[in-house]
Amino acid sequence: MPGTRSEAPLIDAEEDLAAAPQVVAARRRLRAHPVLVLAGIVLAALNMRAALAGVSPLLSEIGGHFHLAATASSLVTTIPLIFMGLGSIVAPKLARRWGTETVLCAALVLLCGGIVLRIAPPVVALFVGCAVVGTAIALLNVLMPGLIKRDFPERAAGMTALYSTAMILGATVSAASAVPLENALGGWQGSLVSWSLLAAVAAVVWIPQAVIARRGTHLGEAAATPVHATEERGPRLSRSPLAWQVTLFMGSQSLIAYVIIAWMPTVFTDHGMGKSEAGLVFAFSTLVQMVGSFVVPILAGRMRRQRLLGVAVSGLMACGVTGLLVAPVAGAWLWAALLGTGQGGALGLALTMMVLRSGDAHTAARLSGMAQTGGYLLAAAGPLALGAVHQTTGGWTVPIALLLAVCSGLALLALGAGRDRRIGDGA
């Protein structure tokens, strides 16, 4: 059992792969220039949530421009989640074929293109762009932790903290600046497309890394090969109740988080708050996620059981959701603080439990793939379902009450996923 978060291994999408000799040599040359690698990690992390967080304060304008009902508008946040789940499946295969650095660079180029595509005139371009953005973020999500583990093995905890902080900072700045950028650039299109510049800068920084990492390899040659003849070693995850509990915990907390991303500013503006202030409250909620995401994994690593910790973060989110139900505007900043702290803690706990509930690094990598794929696909139902209920009922009381029920379910899942057990242990 890890004693602290720094002792818990990062989940590596390239687990059990042996890099080609030329790639190993090239990566040694890259590590001789850590500033370049560090800059690439920070810039990539800044992009990993910015393209999603900047949409939420502008959702009503986007829906109005394309004459979309609430249910159809929610597809702007639902489609990326679907493709974040599907993209998690192919990321390790792409890394094996082309190398992590090349795939990360391509993901940033893809992200830049998807952001631009979202503002093209036909509504179909909006949805296709959302799919491209989700796919790009999935590749970054899956491959970045493994790259940090590989290139900074002695400083993995500190680098993970920097990477996580940059990711949250990017989302916070995107949410806070969405409305000011809309006003300054003449519409929601200018606000959304402005984040393609950050993705483009990040891609440029990753180009030399992708080139160096593949130097010496022949065209079409795989960057890595499996160490073992079969990929399916260890316990069957699909038959493990504990694996499903971890997956459903990941999915339920993601569902809550992305419902908040999709609809929190709209809830505030529908109750009379100004659009700019609603964007700032949402940005504040995103910012305080750093508190939970930093503290909760440390506490989880020091505990044999994480059941009470899971109930606690679920309770924080439930209190914030209850506040949105009874006094959304009057206590907006407090509800944002409770929701943000709970969301950050729940995500940190979900990621930590993927390691703590696994007996080895190979099982942890497989569980991460199952939890991220299943989790994001489950989360995708949240914004769409609550948007449909809002459209049907004409208010936010029933949708928020349903979200409160999901918080209760999350607490129950924590009781199972937080047990002191490993996948494959006897009953």
Side-chain angles (χ1 to χ4, degrees), residues 299-320:
L299 295 177
R302 293 175 178 172
M303 297 175 174
R304 293 183 61 189
R305 302 174 183 84
Q306 293 76 36
R307 304 173 85 175
L308 291 179
L309 202 55
V311 172
V313 295
S314 303
L316 285 174
M317 287 191 285
C319 290

Side-chain angles (χ1 to χ4, degrees), residues 210-303:
V211 172
I212 293 171
R214 293 291 290 182
R215 186 175 294 167
T217 58
H218 301 293
L219 182 65
E221 182 180 355
T225 55
V227 174
H228 300 274
T230 59
E231 295 185 9
E232 186 68 21
R233 295 189 298 119
R236 291 283 298 273
L237 297 186
S238 60
R239 296 182 180 179
S240 169
L242 183 56
W244 281 109
Q245 287 164 349
V246 172
T247 297
L248 291 174
F249 185 89
M250 176 69 180
S252 297
Q253 68 82 24
S254 296
L255 186 151
I256 297 167
Y258 283 99
V259 165
I260 296 300
I261 288 174
W263 294 117
M264 177 187 267
T266 305
V267 171
F268 290 143
T269 55
D270 283 357
H271 284 87
M273 182 182 287
K275 189 168 66 172
S276 295
E277 185 181 358
L280 289 175
V281 175
F282 172 61
F284 172 70
S285 178
T286 303
L287 181 64
V288 297
Q289 288 182 27
M290 285 191 289
V291 177
S293 65
F294 180 78
V295 173
V296 170
I298 293 176
L299 295 177
R302 293 175 178 172
M303 297 175 174

Side-chain angles (χ1 to χ4, degrees), residues 355-378:
V355 174
L356 299 181
R357 300 288 84 86
S358 302
D360 55 68
H362 180 76
T363 302
R366 291 168 52 222
L367 179 59
S368 173
M370 174 180 173
Q372 289 200 58
T373 301
Y376 284 126
L377 292 177
L378 174 60

Side-chain angles (χ1 to χ4, degrees), residues 181-209:
L181 283 173
E182 178 191 23
N183 296 332
L185 299 175
W188 63 268
Q189 294 93 337
S191 181
L192 283 192
V193 80
S194 62
W195 291 100
S196 65
L197 297 176
L198 181 61
V201 170
V204 168
V205 172
W206 275 95
I207 288 173
Q209 299 189 57

